[in-house]
Each structure stands twice: as C-alpha cells, then as structure tokens.
Amino acid sequence: MRFDATGKVSLDHIYDQPDPRAYFTTLRTLAYQVPQIARPYFVETMADYRAAGRPRPGDPPGRHPSPLKILDIGSSYGINAALLRCGVTLEDLYERYGAPEAHGYTRDELLARDRELVRSTRVFPPPTSRRLSSEGRSGGSLPSDAVFVGLDVSSEALSYALAAGFLDDAVHADLEAADPTERQRRQLAGTDLVISTGCLGYVGERTVSRVLDAIEAVDGKRPWMAHFVLRMFPFDTIGASLAERGYETVTLDRVFRQRRFASAQEQQLVLDSLTTMGVDPHGLESDGWMYAQLYVSRPRGSSAAHTAGASAASTASTDTPASVSPALVPSAAVARRPSGHPSHAPRGHE
C-alpha cells in the first residue's frame, strides 16, 4: 500500500481511468460518503445565493437571473454534478458502476446510459426543503438550467464527465503550478458558486486565488464558496487570503464523515498529523473514520436568506442536514474547538 505526502493512502490510479468503474468500486469499499452529505448543503447555499439577489451581469431588470454557474474544484468524474443535476444518491452511483453487469459494458455503452440518465432526470423544481427523504434525496433540487464546470488535473475523468453530460464544461489545469490560460479564464468567468468535497489540502491558496483572479478579472464578480475540507488540512492560509479579498468565512459547528481509513497504517499516519497540528482526534479519527468540516465563504455584506428562519432543531440531527445558515460560526472559533459533532449520513464512498 502506497501513501502520499499527507499520510493518506494513494488512490491516484482511480482518477485516470477512461470511465468511473474503478473509482466507484474502490471508494465503495472505504464507505466514501462526503459528496452525498454535501449535496443538501450545496443546494441550500445555491438557494441562499439566489435569495440574496446576486444576478449575473447582463440580466435584464425584473427578469429571472441567468443560470447559476457552479465550479467544482477537483471534480473528477463529475460526481457532485451528477448528484445535484440528476437527483440520484451516491449509493445509486455505486450500484450503477459497481454492479456485476456494469463490468460487461463498453465505455460507449456506459456513456449512453449516463446521457439517458441526465436527459431523463435533470428537470427539477428549485430548492425548497432543507431535509433529506428516507432515500437520502433532498426535498428540493437546483434549477434545471444550472451550469456545471469541472476543474481537475485528470483529463480522463474530465473527458468522461463531459461526454456523459454531468459537466457542461471542463478546465483541465493544475492551478497550483501555473496561471490559467486565456481560454481557461474565459471558462471560469461568470462563476456564481465554487464548491469542493475533499480537494482542498491537495490544492491550496494558489488554486483558489487563481480561480478568483480569473473570475474577477472579467467583470469584478466575486462568487460564493462552499468547501468540505478534511480536518487534517488547515484552512487558515486560504481563509486569510479570502479575508484579504473581502470575504467572510464561516464554518458549520459540526464535522462530517469522509470515508473509512484504508488501513491501520493510514489511520496512524493521519492521527500523527492531527496531533502535530494540535487537532484532537478523540472520538472521531481515532474511531476509524476521516472527518471533514464545511467552510462557506461569502463577500462581506452578503445576506443569507434562510438564516433567521431556520429551525434550531436542525443542528441536533445527524441524519438530515439542514440549511447551512443556522449553525454557522466564525471559522476561527471552530478552529479552537475542532472536534464538533459527527454527521452519520447515508453510506457512500470516499
């Protein structure tokens, strides 16, 4: 078993395949689940963004705003887009790509199935509910005209996600290493919301800053951001950079299961990292799971429409994530008491 510089087991091989079967087969064994957990929080952040009245440049007065443009950093095979766009669960996707019959399909046959999934499921009502159904689906979804852009270093994963229709556009770039090209800047321009589920830590302040530079350079737009970040990766540098840009970052006062450790050795390496950082793993990573926290960054002065009316009971439930707003606290405060309360959401993969 090979480990990367962070102490996590290296799973690079599952991200550069011509289709997602290895990705889902491998991550299912690790009970990877954060994209499923993240889905209702992303949906509510989109609803808050819409309600805050931040139309795209060029929207006619009094008209419905242009389609939301969502950038997924570390999008791989378009998993977040598939969950948001098609209304499926992560378990649905595990079955879709991991069932025995799926291994008999060609890539073209898999793509044909996925295009039909997108065609038949992408029309949904706008977000209205902060609760999940018993099947793990949110009671509402995003507008059907939302535009998804993926940013990743894997050309194979991006190619599949584009061909399947999960993504509308793809930026193949390593923004830790270099500035985006002019074409990539145009692709990033107009973004309303930037999301990620586990990528930050592998990429950091350089990528986030270069993304924002590209977006702001066109029309001064400042997107909202929602990132699920493993507790082993400090958010401080990114948060400080965002603050200099006029952003306020808050975090939900709870933590979320990412996946199981792949081995006792991986767990020990991560526990050592957390201890070095001064983060207490007791009752969380010490019990065999990696945990993430949610960071939401908005330009100062932005309003969150659901903050006042959200139910206080939502913060007590670990199975039905509620609006992002009610339990948000300044990120520095949570950094001083990092354990939080685990969220035991429906099973998923890494």
Side-chain angles (χ1 to χ4, degrees):
M1 191 172 287
R2 198 161 55 87
F3 298 89
D4 61 27
T6 70
K8 291 178 64 183
V9 64
S10 176
L11 298 173
D12 290 349
H13 64 286
I14 68 174
Y15 292 96
D16 60 2
Q17 302 299 310
D19 65 65
R21 282 175 287 197
Y23 176 95
F24 283 103
T25 300
T26 300
L27 293 179
R28 189 177 201 177
T29 65
L30 300 176
Y32 176 64
Q33 58 191 250
V34 76
Q36 178 68 48
I37 294 171
R39 182 185 185 277
Y41 291 99
F42 290 157
V43 168
E44 288 303 325
T45 302
M46 294 174 207
D48 283 350
Y49 180 91
R50 282 289 205 205
R54 301 182 64 85
R56 298 266 308 274
D59 286 334
R63 297 290 299 278
H64 188 72
S66 301
L68 282 176
K69 185 172 181 179
I70 302 152
L71 174 69
D72 186 1
I73 299 179
S75 59
S76 69
Y77 295 95
I79 311 309
N80 287 323
L83 294 177
L84 288 161
R85 167 165 278 165
C86 301
V88 294
T89 67
L90 201 49
E91 189 60 34
D92 292 335
L93 297 181
Y94 282 137
E95 283 297 314
R96 185 175 190 82
Y97 300 104
E101 59 268 23
H103 293 280
Y105 290 127
T106 66
R107 181 178 186 271
D108 286 344
E109 288 169 335
L110 282 176
L111 283 171
R113 286 200 320 162
D114 289 342
R115 292 189 195 107
E116 175 58 23
L117 174 69
V118 173
R119 186 201 66 77
S120 63
T121 60
R122 65 178 294 164
V123 179
F124 288 96
T128 56
S129 173
R130 299 171 182 79
R131 292 206 171 271
L132 294 177
S133 70
S134 59
E135 293 82 22
R137 293 174 172 82
S138 173
S141 188
L142 76 165
S144 60
D145 58 356
V147 173
F148 286 92
V149 179
L151 169 62
D152 207 284
V153 297
S154 171
S155 60
E156 292 279 13
L158 289 174
S159 175
Y160 189 92
L162 268 177
F166 298 144
L167 295 178
D168 299 291
D169 200 359
V171 180
H172 179 218
D174 178 359
L175 297 187
E176 289 295 295
D179 288 329
T181 65
E182 284 306 310
R183 179 178 184 275
Q184 290 165 350
R185 289 178 189 276
R186 291 194 299 271
Q187 290 175 288
L188 296 170
T191 296
D192 295 289
L193 176 65
V194 181
I195 64 173
S196 66
T197 48
C199 186
L200 296 195
Y202 294 99
V203 303
E205 186 272 334
R206 280 196 201 95
T207 291
V208 173
S209 289
R210 283 168 168 159
V211 163
L212 292 178
D213 286 343
I215 297 169
E216 293 176 13
V218 176
D219 50 30
K221 190 183 188 74
R222 292 193 297 167
W224 292 19
M225 313 185 85
H227 300 292
F228 283 79
V229 183
L230 283 171
R231 290 185 347 123
M232 63 185 291
F233 296 134
F235 192 78
D236 301 9
T237 301
I238 296 173
S241 175
L242 290 173
E244 290 178 1
R245 290 175 172 269
Y247 277 80
E248 178 185 21
T249 297
V250 289
T251 190
L252 205 67
D253 192 15
R254 63 197 290 182
V255 294
F256 305 89
R257 282 181 172 179
Q258 175 95 343
R259 66 164 171 85
R260 294 186 183 276
F261 287 106
S263 69
Q265 184 179 3
E266 181 187 43
Q267 181 179 14
Q268 190 56 57
L269 289 169
V270 171
L271 290 176
D272 291 346
S273 294
L274 290 168
T275 300
T276 299
M277 292 167 54
V279 177
D280 181 10
H282 180 71
L284 297 171
E285 290 85 0
S286 63
D287 289 348
W289 289 84
M290 289 186 176
Y291 282 88
Q293 285 187 288
L294 168 60
Y295 296 87
V296 177
S297 301
R298 296 183 287 236
R300 289 192 189 95
S302 301
S303 61
H306 298 149
T307 302
S311 168
S314 67
T315 60
S317 171
T318 57
D319 292 324
T320 54
S323 169
V324 171
S325 306
L328 286 174
V329 297
S331 58
V334 172
R336 290 193 294 271
R337 44 187 180 84
S339 58
H341 301 285
S343 174
H344 306 290
R347 269 182 66 93
H349 58 279
E350 205 217 12

